Amino acid sequence: MEKKNIDWSNLGFGYIETEKRFVSNYKNGAWDEGALVSDSMITMSECAGVLQYAQTVFEGMKAYTTEDGRIVTFRPDLNAARMEDSCKRLQMPVFPQDKFIEAVSQVVEANAAYVPPYGSGATLYLRPYMFGSSPVIGVKPAEEYQFRIFATPVGPYFKGGVKPLTIKVSDFDRAAPNGTGHIKAGLNYAMSLHAIVTAHEEGYDENMYLDPKTRTKVEETGGANFLFITKDNKVVTPKSSSILPSITRRSLMQVAKDYLGLEVEEREVYVDELENFAECGLCGTAAVISPVGKVVNHGKEICFPSGMNDMGPVTKKLYDTLTGIQMGRIEAPEGWIHVIK
Ligand code: PLP
Ligand code: COI
C-alpha cells in the first residue's frame, strides 16, 4: 500500500479529510449495521438535538505504525467504555463496545495510506462521535442518532512540540460539581472556548481549571489531565469526580509503577502546593505528554525546576516508555495494543 504524499514530520494538529469514515444510524430503538462511506458531509434536520441542545459526545484515539511496520491502536476498549459512560449521561443510546472496536479497525484499515510512517512523529487521529439527529424543540433527548468515526493524520497538539508550556490558572470553570466534567461531551469544550481564546490572547498556552466547588484544587486543562513529579520522584495526579478519566493518565500511572518502579499517587492536589513539585506535564491522546514549565496564578509565577527548555527527567522517562509501548519498541502490558494489520 502506497502512503499518501504528505509532509508527515511537519503536520500540526489539524483536520485533513481522509477517504473513508464509518457511519451508523439509530432509528426506532436500534442501530443499523453501519458502513464505511466516502461522503464527509452530513445532512440533518435544522432542529436536530445536537444543533439545538448540544446532544453530542465524542472520543479521541490514535493509530500508530510500529517499529516493525504493523498498524495498531492503543487500548480502544477503554475508549469504547468511556463513550458508553458519556452516552448514558446525555441520554443517548450506547453504541455496542465490540462494534465500536470493530468500526475503529475498519476506519484505520480503509485509511491505511494516511497512517503516518514509523518515526515521522505523526499519528492517525481517530474521532468517534455520536449526536442526536432527529428534531427536538422541547428540551428532551432526540429519538434518532448517528454514530461516526473519521480519521485524520496529526502532528503535535502544541506548537513547538516538546517545548515546556506556560499555563494560566483560569477564572472560568470547566465543569460543575455534579455536572458533566467526567464525560467527553461537546458541551464541555464549547464552554471552554472563551477561556482558551482569552488565555492565548494573554500569551498562555493553556488553562489550568480549578475544582468548581472550592476553587482551591487542580482539575485539568481543556484537553488533558495533569501529572506532577515530586522532588523525591513520586508521580502525583489529581483525583476529582469532575475531570475526564484520561486513558493516557491511567496508563502512565501503571507504567510509572510497573515499568519505572516509581511510587504513584492519585489524590487531591491543592494549587497552593504547586511550588513543591519538581516537574509538571499534561497528558492525553492529543497532548501525549507535554511538559509544563510554568504556571501563572493571578500574577504569581510558579516555575518548575525542570525549566523552560526541556522535559523534566522523570516526565521524559514516562514519555519514552509510553511512546515506546505504543510504537512497539517496548513490550506492552497484556491487552494494551490492538493490532489492525
Ligand atoms: N481531559 C480532557 C478534558 C480531554 O479532552 C482529554 C482528551 O481526550 C483528556 C483529558 C485526556 O484523555 P485521554 O488520555 O483519554 O485522551
Ligand atoms: C484528545 O486528546 O483526544 C482530545 O480529545 C483532546 C482534544 C483537546 C483534542
Side-chain angles (χ1 to χ4, degrees), residues 63-70 72 74 117-123 288 319 321-330 337:
Y64 309 83
T65 304
T66 60
E67 193 173 27
D68 61 2
R70 292 171 304 157
V72 304
F74 183 70
Y118 175 76
S120 63
T123 49
V288 192
Y319 177 91
T321 313
L322 179 73
T323 53
I325 289 170
Q326 289 166 333
M327 314 272 176
R329 292 186 297 268
I330 296 175
I337 298 298

Side-chain angles (χ1 to χ4, degrees), residues 44-74:
M44 68 181 134
S45 165
E46 62 185 354
C47 199
V50 58
L51 299 178
Q52 301 310 322
Y53 302 124
Q55 199 184 16
T56 178
V57 299
F58 70 100
E59 272 303 320
M61 51 207 296
K62 284 174 170 172
Y64 309 83
T65 304
T66 60
E67 193 173 27
D68 61 2
R70 292 171 304 157
I71 297 177
V72 304
T73 53
F74 183 70

Side-chain angles (χ1 to χ4, degrees), residues 110-127:
N111 295 297
Y114 291 91
V115 183
Y118 175 76
S120 63
T123 49
L124 188 71
Y125 187 71
L126 301 162
R127 177 49 67 88

Side-chain angles (χ1 to χ4, degrees), residues 108-176:
V108 174
E109 194 155 4
N111 295 297
Y114 291 91
V115 183
Y118 175 76
S120 63
T123 49
L124 188 71
Y125 187 71
L126 301 162
R127 177 49 67 88
Y129 59 114
M130 190 193 295
F131 52 89
S133 52
S134 60
V136 276
I137 194 72
V139 178
K140 62 176 186 197
E143 286 180 354
E144 294 173 12
Y145 294 84
Q146 193 164 92
F147 170 77
R148 301 176 71 102
I149 306 175
F150 69 77
T152 184
V154 296
Y157 188 68
F158 293 103
K159 283 193 221 91
V162 293
K163 212 176 143 9
L165 305 168
T166 301
I167 307 272
K168 175 189 176 174
V169 175
S170 183
D171 289 321
F172 296 102
D173 292 328
R174 178 179 186 275

Side-chain angles (χ1 to χ4, degrees), residues 82 174 184 189 220-225 244 246-248 283-285:
R82 190 169 64 188
R174 178 179 186 275
K184 216 159 161 57
Y189 299 79
E220 59 177 335
T221 70
N225 282 179
L244 193 76
S246 159
I247 294 164
T248 315
C283 65
T285 299

